[in-house]
Amino acid sequence: MSSTRLKWKPVPLHFKIPHGLFLHEATAVSVNSKDEVFVFNRGNMPVLVFDKDGNLIRHWGNATPYEGTMTVKDPYGNEACRWIGTEYVRPHSVRIDHMDNVWLVDDMANTITKCDPQGKKLLVIGSGGMATTDPSVIKGLAGRKMEPAITQSGIMFNRPTDVAVHQDTGEIFISDGYGNSRVHRLTSDGTHIKSWGAPGTDEGQFNIPHNIAIHPDKDKVIVVDRENSRVQLFTLDGEFVSQWHIHRAVSVCTATFQGSPHVLVAEQGATSRVQKGEGYQISELKTWTPNIGHRIGVYTPEGKRVATLGASRPGERPDQFNWLHSVAVNSKGDIYAAEVSFCECGRLQKPHARELVSLRRWNIVN
């Protein structure tokens, strides 16, 4: 489960979510300086905020959470539900910056929204380089899809995936994304500085840049290059530095453990059907090929793995993961994980689809 130096244990049933609120799938998680936990989910209340003990302390993103759902198509052509009134089309990532601002990435809306910790929208960055602080414009964008840039054009945005804010300069770095193969660097007010990247498998190219973070040294950015099974490190100007091979790397964050900086990278499972055993039912996951993703690795800033969390196969048990999508760490070193377990597994359950476990906590034990 982990190295002898760093160890964690899973905490079952940590989050207390009132009946009437549905995660659908937790999707993304981040932690602020007060150890408040922000979950950007695909249920009927997009933003849920919990205290360190797992109590829900506030929420936002839907004024009509009890009005039911409408049928939409997900990005892969499957029928999916979207709750009526939600201000976000498809939650994808949440990040908390050094000033405790909350950044919400909506990949299908092609927007990144900056909020204060109470949910007041301060800035929206959208397709074509649009950036606005005008409250009336921001209100009009709620729940709407902005037109995506032409696929692989490199122009902002075509389904952006994540955002990172540099703590010294306030500059914004955005991974873009599902329909682009780019990283965009912006000023703190959303003005474009430069972009880099292209589709491919060579150094500096991307096959779904899915997550991004500022390296602990603060002179580099870490880009999770999911379908190339690696993370790539670049200077702040976009010059390639190095890469680490990590199976289907999907999420990255940084943290300090025992006084030393570390990098955490979450891994998703195999895409190959032959490694998925007898099928997608929860009881069948034990037949999947073991040790293929579904874990979190803890690395030194140089890329040496020093610990891992997770079981050998996916599932709903507290010691397992099931389609990891986001990872975060609080001030004590406890680790949170959010998953996309419904779109990958829950929708396929028989006799009918059901919500699966998608939000986890592991406590540091030394």
Side-chain angles (χ1 to χ4, degrees):
M1 187 193 322
S2 61
S3 74
T4 56
R5 189 170 67 89
L6 290 169
K7 295 183 179 180
W8 290 263
K9 63 179 180 181
V11 181
L13 306 176
H14 174 74
F15 292 94
K16 305 168 185 67
I17 302 172
H19 186 62
L21 295 181
F22 306 96
L23 284 178
H24 193 60
E25 52 191 2
T27 310
V29 63
S30 196
V31 183
N32 71 7
S33 66
K34 299 178 181 179
D35 281 343
E36 295 174 338
V37 181
F38 292 71
V39 179
F40 193 33
N41 67 91
R42 296 174 180 167
N44 63 337
M45 187 58 67
V47 182
L48 302 177
V49 187
F50 300 88
D51 66 17
K52 60 183 178 59
D53 298 316
N55 301 300
L56 183 68
I57 54 176
R58 60 185 179 278
H59 52 75
W60 74 79
N62 190 355
T64 59
Y66 311 116
E67 298 303 313
T69 61
M70 52 186 167
T71 301
V72 298
K73 292 286 187 181
D74 72 13
Y76 314 105
N78 305 305
E79 281 196 350
C81 70
R82 179 181 168 198
W83 268 265
I84 293 169
T86 181
E87 297 176 13
Y88 301 94
V89 179
R90 189 173 184 262
H92 194 268
S93 176
V94 57
R95 294 289 191 171
I96 311 296
D97 68 20
H98 57 289
M99 300 294 289
D100 276 350
N101 296 302
V102 183
W103 296 77
L104 303 170
V105 181
D106 186 332
D107 71 310
M108 285 193 70
N110 295 292
T111 58
I112 290 92
T113 303
K114 175 185 177 181
C115 305
D116 72 13
Q118 305 303 315
K120 180 182 178 182
K121 297 176 182 178
L122 306 173
L123 170 70
V124 174
I125 305 169
S127 291
M130 182 277 294
T132 182
T133 58
D134 186 323
S136 62
V137 176
I138 290 175
K139 183 177 180 180
L141 290 170
R144 283 183 49 210
K145 294 182 183 179
M146 293 195 72
E147 189 69 24
I150 295 172
T151 301
Q152 299 300 340
S153 65
I155 298 171
M156 299 189 295
F157 295 118
N158 192 308
R159 299 187 59 210
T161 50
D162 197 19
V163 61
V165 179
H166 198 287
Q167 67 184 75
D168 291 343
T169 65
E171 289 183 346
I172 304 162
F173 295 82
I174 298 167
S175 54
D176 179 29
Y178 286 110
N180 258 329
S181 300
R182 300 285 271 180
V183 170
H184 308 292
R185 179 183 179 185
L186 287 67
T187 65
S188 60
D189 65 1
T191 302
H192 181 259
I193 299 173
K194 69 178 302 180
S195 301
W196 71 85
T201 59
D202 292 339
E203 294 176 355
Q205 297 179 332
F206 302 114
N207 186 4
I208 303 186
H210 193 271
N211 233 219
I212 192 166
I214 306 299
H215 189 273
D217 292 342
K218 298 193 289 186
D219 61 353
K220 294 181 284 292
V221 292
I222 307 168
V223 182
V224 168
D225 188 9
R226 192 182 74 185
E227 298 309 306
N228 282 331
S229 284
R230 64 185 177 183
V231 300
Q232 297 192 66
L233 277 64
F234 299 89
T235 68
L236 301 182
D237 288 323
E239 297 298 320
F240 174 82
V241 176
S242 64
Q243 60 184 331
W244 310 342
H245 170 73
I246 300 174
H247 179 268
R248 295 204 75 218
V250 68
S251 180
V252 60
C253 75
T254 61
T256 299
F257 302 123
Q258 299 176 348
S260 298
H262 288 78
V263 177
L264 287 81
V265 181
E267 303 176 23
Q268 286 193 339
T271 57
S272 172
R273 181 64 186 83
V274 299
Q275 292 175 319
K276 294 180 179 178
E278 296 174 5
Y280 291 88
Q281 304 308 299
I282 293 300
S283 61
E284 296 170 337
L285 300 185
K286 63 180 180 290
T287 68
W288 287 26
T289 303
N291 304 316
I292 307 294
H294 299 290
R295 69 178 182 178
I296 297 170
V298 182
Y299 298 80
T300 67
E302 296 72 39
K304 178 184 178 181
R305 193 176 71 228
V306 296
T308 59
L309 294 78
S312 62
R313 292 181 173 90
E316 292 196 279
R317 294 197 320 260
D319 66 321
Q320 295 176 305
F321 296 114
N322 191 13
W323 296 103
L324 282 158
H325 197 257
S326 178
V327 62
V329 183
N330 69 13
S331 65
K332 291 178 57 181
D334 305 320
I335 295 174
Y336 296 95
E339 299 160 325
V340 287
S341 55
F342 181 85
C343 73
E344 296 287 356
C345 197
R347 66 183 179 84
L348 302 171
Q349 298 304 296
K350 298 177 180 178
H352 54 75
R354 72 172 177 89
E355 183 174 324
L356 304 180
V357 175
S358 64
L359 187 58
R360 320 270 189 165
R361 173 169 166 156
W362 288 57
N363 281 358
I364 196 165
V365 296
N366 62 322

